[in-house]
Amino acid sequence: MLRTLTAVAAGKAARVAARWRGGGSAFPGLVAEKIDPAFLATALSDIPGGIVVVSGTNGKTTTTKMLAEVLRAHGRRVFSNPTGSNFTRGVISALLGEVGPTGRVRADVAVLELDEAHSIPFARAVPPTHVLLLNVARDQLDRFAEIDHTAALLGRLAGTATQGLVLNRDDAFIARIGPAVAPDARDMGGATTRAGLAAPEIRHFGVHPSIADRLPELLETDLRGDATIPTPQLGATDGLLRPIDDRVFEVVFADGRTVGPLELRQRGLAAMINATAAVTTARLLLGPDFDAASTERALRAVAPPFGRGEVIDVDGQPLELVLVKNPAGFTVALGTYDASPVATMIAINDDYADGRDVSWLYDVSFASLSTRGVALTSGVRAYDMALRLHYDDIATELVEPDLERALGAFLAATPAEPKRIFCTYTAMLALRKLLAARYDLAAMGEEAS
């Protein structure tokens, strides 16, 4: 107990210091963990409604936020890690903002976004009751190497779930995890594997082809000789995405229940898929308490997480921050926003959290930017990005590696028009901080929970 009390006090002090300095979201967790290695397990030991881990390459932060808000709309007290700090120490840092002196968090359920690799040590310390797996894509090749390695990590995570598992039925790498999970892990407590999300039957819903055809852009192709995985038979509570147009959709369950039609504040098919994952998981968690109307109200109100399609008012004009970190994500982002002409900036960093290897930029088609061109490239890899655009015959007006000078130049050059910045993770954090200082926005980590 003394060790826990000391860890809480020291961690909270480190948290205050980190916020005063304007960063270091994982540092307080490091302090608390060094003092009390069992802090994580202690803090989450009294949560009665389950511990949900959300993982996968793309969409973790958005899906976690959506699921947490849906559960809150049903009257549940939810602990989550809303800033996107998805390493184990980031979760501990978030806990330090919620725990009392005893080190235990008061919540009905925990919904936690976790990095694919860091989910494994978390699960060793705190076995999750439920696991939601979104997708597998080439991402941070210096950390994850080949895509099969990422899939293997997620397979190990799936095997730690003690009550329920939600899988993306359309992702070949995720779909093969279901049959591989041991029956005792999959069926504990009567809960079976839940496969939902975007439906292969999407074309039978009368959806415009331009919407249906975007689905392959989100998915990696499994090139193994045994890659044909039978489409799992629908369970009664499997949620299927039914897009109506590029902004409105429904989630249809195999037993006939429907959520929607509804429109999100975040655009694109990827956001719809994330919402479908959140709805499917919420129904699994809530059982007979699940209410479609409460779910719809929650999803309509969810603002995009920081930097993930967030729209900021900049002197009367909208500026969108769009996080990009791998070929699938960047391709989908370009496709989602290509219909609206705006001034465009691209900021590419190669810090550890971004991935050191930026060769993935050559697997993205930038043709949709050809009409207007790109106003500015920035970040550590500003010149690499400008060179990549040159190969697609995309004009770049200015290259400025310094993010602060680049943002100032971008805003000054485009005062009377909408703007969009595509940025990698650490570039997004830096730009969001600069914009927060200029326009009195909530800082990272101050988002309402």
Side-chain angles (χ1 to χ4, degrees):
M1 175 60 80
L2 179 60
R3 178 175 286 184
T4 300
L5 291 172
T6 305
V8 171
K12 285 181 177 287
R15 193 168 185 267
V16 171
R19 288 197 166 201
W20 181 74
R21 294 181 61 188
S25 61
F27 176 69
L30 171 63
V31 172
E33 187 180 46
K34 288 292 185 182
I35 296 172
D36 181 8
F39 179 84
L40 187 63
T42 300
L44 297 173
S45 61
D46 291 338
I47 295 181
I51 297 171
V52 186
V53 169
V54 180
S55 196
T57 306
N58 294 318
K60 295 185 292 291
T61 302
T62 299
T63 305
T64 299
K65 183 174 183 180
M66 288 176 171
L67 176 56
E69 292 305 318
V70 168
L71 294 174
R72 290 184 179 115
H74 285 80
R76 303 306 194 264
R77 293 178 303 171
V78 181
F79 168 72
S80 189
N81 50 335
T83 65
S85 183
N86 56 25
F87 291 6
T88 303
R89 288 167 182 166
V91 174
I92 296 175
S93 295
L95 282 165
L96 288 167
E98 302 288 334
V99 299
T102 63
R104 288 173 169 80
V105 66
R106 292 185 177 182
D108 299 315
V109 61
V111 180
L112 303 172
E113 168 197 349
L114 282 166
D115 170 86
E116 299 94 306
H118 287 263
S119 65
I120 305 302
F122 174 91
R124 282 198 294 263
V126 185
T129 59
H130 299 80
V131 169
L132 165 58
L133 300 182
L134 296 169
N135 47 62
V136 177
R138 287 169 291 160
D139 188 60
Q140 300 189 49
L141 297 177
D142 53 304
R143 286 186 61 214
F144 293 118
E146 292 299 325
I147 196 168
D148 282 341
H149 176 62
T150 306
L153 289 171
L154 294 178
R156 289 171 59 191
L157 174 62
T160 67
T162 61
Q163 294 183 24
L165 186 62
V166 182
L167 303 177
N168 182 345
R169 61 186 286 116
D170 299 317
D171 187 293
F173 293 92
I174 297 298
R176 69 169 56 246
I177 288 172
V181 175
D184 58 343
R186 188 170 67 243
D187 298 329
M188 179 135 348
T192 57
T193 302
R194 308 296 176 179
L197 315 193
E201 296 85 352
I202 192 172
R203 294 180 184 279
H204 301 302
F205 290 148
V207 179
H208 191 277
S210 65
I211 304 300
D213 290 344
R214 290 237 181 263
L215 183 57
E217 297 175 358
L218 291 159
L219 306 175
E220 293 281 354
T221 301
D222 190 338
L223 298 177
R224 286 171 289 189
D226 63 343
T228 301
I229 304 297
T231 301
Q233 188 173 4
L234 289 175
T237 56
D238 288 355
L240 303 180
L241 171 64
R242 178 187 286 173
I244 295 171
D245 57 32
D246 62 352
R247 299 187 75 95
V248 180
F249 71 103
E250 297 174 327
V251 179
V252 181
F253 287 98
D255 65 0
R257 296 195 67 178
T258 300
V259 174
L262 64 93
E263 180 177 341
L264 302 172
R265 294 173 64 181
Q266 189 171 355
R267 287 195 274 173
L269 181 60
M272 296 180 191
I273 291 175
N274 294 336
T276 305
V279 171
T280 304
T281 308
R283 186 174 180 190
L284 174 62
L285 289 166
L286 294 166
D289 293 335
F290 178 80
D291 178 68
S294 298
T295 300
E296 291 168 17
R297 285 195 299 271
L299 289 175
R300 289 190 181 103
V302 173
F306 292 123
R308 281 88 169 170
E310 180 186 16
V311 180
I312 299 167
D313 187 300
V314 173
D315 301 323
Q317 293 293 336
L319 184 153
E320 292 176 286
L321 278 179
V322 183
L323 176 67
V324 294
K325 59 193 185 80
N326 52 55
F330 210 153
T331 298
V332 170
L334 289 167
T336 297
Y337 298 106
D338 61 5
S340 51
V342 298
T344 300
M345 171 176 160
I346 303 177
I348 304 295
N349 277 355
D350 64 352
D351 293 336
Y352 175 77
D354 306 296
R356 302 287 190 185
D357 185 346
V358 296
S359 63
W360 61 269
L361 291 169
Y362 284 84
D363 292 324
V364 180
S365 172
F366 294 94
S368 62
L369 300 175
S370 59
T371 302
R372 175 69 187 267
V374 172
L376 193 146
T377 61
S378 186
V380 177
R381 294 300 192 108
Y383 285 96
D384 299 78
M385 187 67 242
L387 177 63
R388 171 66 190 92
L389 293 170
H390 174 74
Y391 280 109
D392 275 5
D393 296 320
I394 310 295
T396 302
E397 296 177 21
L398 178 65
V399 179
E400 173 51 75
D402 183 270
L403 287 168
E404 185 170 9
R405 289 198 294 265
L407 180 63
F410 182 55
L411 298 182
T414 58
E417 56 186 321
K419 305 164 187 63
R420 184 172 301 124
I421 303 178
F422 297 103
C423 42
T424 55
Y425 183 69
T426 64
M428 181 271 289
L429 294 180
L431 289 167
R432 184 59 175 67
K433 184 176 179 181
L434 292 168
L435 288 164
R438 280 178 178 240
Y439 298 100
D440 195 27
L441 308 173
M444 295 285 288
E446 295 179 356
E447 191 171 20
S449 60

